Amino acid sequence: MKKVLITGSEGFVGGHLWKELESNGYEVYGTTFQAPETELPKNVSVCDIENLEQISSLISKINPDAIFHLAGWSNPGSSFTNPQKTFAVNSIGTINLLESVRKIEDYHPRIVAIGSSAEFGAVPSEMLPITENTPLNPNSPYGVSKVSAWYICKQFVVSYKMDIVYATPFNHTGPGQLPGFLAPDIASQVAKIEKGNSEPVILTGDLSTKRDMLDVRDVVRAYRLILEKGITGERYLISSGKSGLVSRIVDILLSKSSAKITRKIDPAKMRPSDIPDQYGDSSKLNKLTGWKPEIPLEKTLQDLLDWYREKR
């Protein structure tokens, strides 16, 4: 049985990845940024990725065969208001992790670094779909910080022969995702309205953009396959291969509620810059592993809404 460490395991994606790995025979360990009010889950340690000493100590103690680097500042919108923290976590945090591994003698774990489609920014329509060869052109502090992390990983592969593969997911959602992104923002509002805890009005940002949307459970399955079959130093896109108006997410969620709900644009949810359309081509990943998305958007959003209904 291989021992795997997930940085940021208590986050939205980390929880799903933990289940995916355990169900496939891995022994899983994880990190969380802050200690919860209740007792920490089994095999989870408090560890700040910005603290080199903490992450070095933890890796030396666990000595995992593989590491998934999920810990990070993950919201592109909020990166505009806090670019310093975005870079401290995403860029310096990545250096801290890689340096912690590099400094342990005769230690060569596989590292799966998680990127973002935000690294590509606004791609002209004639250059879609995005592939691994599409030029990087981020248009948010978050996107820039992830490009920085990508080049950091490349440098450690070339300079220190470290075993790093890079996974680049497009937008994904599902049960457990907290507000700060469109789908959970809407689902949480719908759940509040249904229970009479809010006025029957949902607040949204710009709904005219188009996105490639995946289910988080499909994404973590791709992460596992990249761990098992990915080639050192390579980037793999995780995408559905198509895009749709983000307004369809709102339409689907509202159609699943019996409440009469109206919509209103919230200027606070608008970004200084946004991407009109974005979708990727995961042919490289498919040829290597056979991966393709399996869960339809309708089910993803139903599961997300039901999670909020139970949570509220």
Side-chain angles (χ1 to χ4, degrees):
M1 178 184 291
K2 286 191 175 182
K3 191 184 297 184
V4 178
L5 172 66
I6 305 171
T7 68
S9 65
E10 296 304 282
F12 161 55
V13 179
H16 288 282
L17 179 58
W18 191 301
K19 292 177 184 177
E20 173 69 21
L21 293 172
E22 272 200 338
S23 66
N24 283 275
Y26 291 89
E27 181 182 356
V28 187
Y29 292 78
T31 73
T32 183
F33 173 63
Q34 291 181 324
E37 295 179 2
T38 56
E39 186 178 351
L40 279 170
K42 180 183 177 182
N43 289 354
V44 175
S45 303
V46 175
C47 183
D48 182 358
I49 198 69
E50 294 180 67
N51 187 315
L52 178 59
E53 184 177 333
Q54 278 189 16
I55 189 66
S56 295
S57 175
L58 183 65
I59 290 173
S60 296
K61 178 182 176 182
I62 297 173
N63 199 39
D65 300 297
I67 301 170
F68 282 93
H69 183 36
L70 265 66
W73 191 273
S74 61
N75 192 316
S78 66
S79 72
F80 286 99
T81 58
N82 203 340
Q84 295 90 345
K85 186 67 174 179
T86 301
F87 276 84
V89 176
N90 293 349
S91 301
I92 302 302
T94 298
I95 293 174
N96 287 344
L97 173 69
L98 300 184
E99 278 288 277
S100 297
V101 171
R102 183 180 72 84
K103 290 181 178 180
I104 302 175
E105 189 175 353
D106 295 325
Y107 178 54
H108 307 286
R110 161 149 286 199
I111 299 172
V112 181
I114 309 301
S116 168
S117 60
E119 295 170 57
F120 297 101
V123 176
S125 58
E126 63 271 17
M127 292 181 65
L128 293 173
I130 292 169
T131 72
E132 287 82 2
N133 297 319
T134 300
L136 302 176
N137 186 32
N139 68 339
S140 69
Y142 169 75
V144 175
S145 75
K146 298 301 284 186
V147 168
S148 171
W150 158 244
Y151 280 111
I152 290 165
C153 289
K154 286 186 68 176
Q155 185 260 314
F156 272 75
V157 170
V158 172
S159 300
Y160 306 118
K161 310 305 178 188
M162 289 178 64
D163 182 10
I164 306 170
V165 286
Y166 202 80
T168 308
F170 280 66
N171 295 70
H172 46 287
T173 188
Q177 188 176 34
L178 298 178
F181 302 88
L182 177 63
D185 281 354
I186 301 303
S188 62
Q189 290 181 68
V190 170
K192 284 181 181 179
I193 292 168
E194 289 178 339
K195 293 198 173 182
N197 296 329
S198 180
E199 293 295 318
V201 178
I202 60 164
L203 302 176
T204 73
D206 180 15
L207 299 179
S208 66
T209 58
K210 299 175 74 176
R211 290 292 182 272
D212 187 330
M213 185 63 68
L214 294 160
D215 188 291
V216 64
R217 293 161 290 193
D218 278 332
V219 170
V220 297
R221 180 166 50 85
Y223 289 171
R224 175 180 59 81
L225 291 170
I226 288 170
L227 167 69
E228 295 170 349
K229 300 183 179 183
I231 298 170
T232 300
E234 292 291 314
R235 178 197 286 268
Y236 297 93
L237 300 192
I238 305 170
S239 62
S240 73
K242 60 187 177 183
S243 66
L245 287 168
V246 298
S247 59
R248 69 189 167 142
I249 293 172
V250 180
D251 294 338
I252 291 171
L253 286 169
L254 293 188
S255 73
K256 296 183 179 299
S257 176
S258 58
K260 292 184 178 181
I261 303 173
T262 57
R263 314 177 192 191
K264 185 177 180 181
I265 295 293
D266 180 3
K269 295 181 181 293
M270 305 295 283
R271 298 179 186 178
S273 61
D274 212 337
I275 299 168
D277 190 11
Q278 190 186 68
Y279 62 98
D281 179 354
S282 59
S283 296
K284 181 177 177 179
L285 177 62
N286 176 264
K287 289 177 182 177
L288 181 73
T289 68
W291 179 90
K292 60 181 179 180
E294 297 176 352
I295 303 173
L297 183 61
E298 286 267 353
K299 176 170 174 51
T300 302
L301 296 178
Q302 181 69 65
D303 291 349
L304 174 63
L305 180 56
D306 288 343
W307 184 81
Y308 270 102
R309 284 168 170 161
E310 293 173 8
K311 187 172 184 288
R312 298 295 174 188

